[in-house]
Amino acid sequence: GGPARLRKLGLEKHPSYGSLAQIPVYRVRQVLNELIAREYLHQTSGRYPIVRLTGKSHEALEERIVMKTVKQEPRARVKKAAHGNSGASTDVNFPLFEELRQKRRELAVQEHVPPYIIFSDRTLRDMAVRMPRSQEEFLEIHGVGVSKCEKYGEKFLEIVEKYQRNS
């Protein structure tokens, strides 16, 4: 995989190759999440998601679309060990995480916002690790406050409960 595969396929000769190199990764993710939320792109589920074009993708290429996103400063990288193990990917229940991501994507489309506005991946990973059973436990999840608990708690708790019943 990686750069060797790109060279083997001759993709480094494409005019757009490297065009995002100067843009911070968080900003590229922000734009991709917005395009997915607006259904210009589709992200497959699974351990290694792939971003694909949709029937609507040509609209984004033919016309200028306006995206309003929160201005965000790049975060300093912090080693996970400093935060304990609750968010470490090795503890994450990936099937449950994918179900939670699907619900987040569905809500983001309904509300016309990028998915990270609903909950961050870190929040979903914490849910998939802790598997909260009540609103009190849901409030202990990283990134969940009272308003998000009131707005989304039941929907996400239902997914966790259904997952636990079927496991």
Side-chain angles (χ1 to χ4, degrees), residues 5-83:
R5 179 162 162 75
L6 295 177
R7 281 191 293 281
K8 182 179 177 187
L9 295 170
L11 295 176
E12 82 282 0
K13 295 175 185 145
H14 192 277
S16 65
Y17 182 81
S19 60
L20 298 178
Q22 301 304 313
I23 300 173
V25 172
Y26 77 90
R27 181 67 180 136
V28 173
R29 283 192 181 128
Q30 202 176 37
V31 171
L32 283 172
N33 285 337
E34 179 71 15
L35 291 170
I36 290 166
R38 292 185 184 195
E39 298 180 331
Y40 290 108
L41 296 174
H42 170 74
Q43 184 174 353
T44 63
S45 56
R47 190 167 188 168
Y48 302 104
I50 298 168
V51 176
R52 299 183 190 260
L53 299 176
T54 67
K56 233 177 125 173
S57 297
H58 70 279
E59 291 176 28
L61 297 171
E62 291 174 0
E63 61 188 61
R64 197 164 182 88
I65 57 174
V66 177
M67 281 191 227
K68 293 182 181 179
T69 56
V70 178
K71 184 167 175 147
Q72 193 176 352
E73 294 302 318
R75 293 174 293 194
R77 282 255 190 250
V78 179
K79 291 185 179 171
K80 285 197 187 249
H83 292 298

Side-chain angles (χ1 to χ4, degrees), residues 13-155:
K13 295 175 185 145
H14 192 277
S16 65
Y17 182 81
S19 60
L20 298 178
Q22 301 304 313
I23 300 173
V25 172
Y26 77 90
R27 181 67 180 136
V28 173
R29 283 192 181 128
Q30 202 176 37
V31 171
L32 283 172
N33 285 337
E34 179 71 15
L35 291 170
I36 290 166
R38 292 185 184 195
E39 298 180 331
Y40 290 108
L41 296 174
H42 170 74
Q43 184 174 353
T44 63
S45 56
R47 190 167 188 168
Y48 302 104
I50 298 168
V51 176
R52 299 183 190 260
L53 299 176
T54 67
K56 233 177 125 173
S57 297
H58 70 279
E59 291 176 28
L61 297 171
E62 291 174 0
E63 61 188 61
R64 197 164 182 88
I65 57 174
V66 177
M67 281 191 227
K68 293 182 181 179
T69 56
V70 178
K71 184 167 175 147
Q72 193 176 352
E73 294 302 318
R75 293 174 293 194
R77 282 255 190 250
V78 179
K79 291 185 179 171
K80 285 197 187 249
H83 292 298
N85 212 19
S86 66
S89 61
T90 54
D91 295 342
V92 174
N93 179 321
F94 284 105
L96 175 56
F97 176 70
E98 285 304 321
E99 288 183 43
L100 295 168
R101 281 185 68 215
Q102 184 59 43
K103 175 52 79 176
R104 176 184 68 179
R105 191 176 304 126
E106 180 186 304
L107 291 168
V109 168
Q110 287 172 7
E111 296 182 22
H112 306 288
V113 297
Y116 67 85
I117 297 294
I118 308 289
F119 286 124
S120 69
D121 277 357
R122 181 175 175 190
T123 300
L124 297 183
R125 280 193 300 271
D126 201 22
M127 279 183 221
V129 169
R130 294 183 184 207
M131 294 193 224
R133 294 175 181 264
S134 66
Q135 292 213 338
E136 292 77 26
E137 289 178 10
F138 195 73
L139 280 166
E140 293 173 10
I141 300 294
H142 170 85
V144 176
V146 174
S147 64
K148 285 197 177 185
C149 182
E150 289 172 357
K151 191 170 184 180
Y152 306 118
E154 285 182 33
K155 294 170 183 158

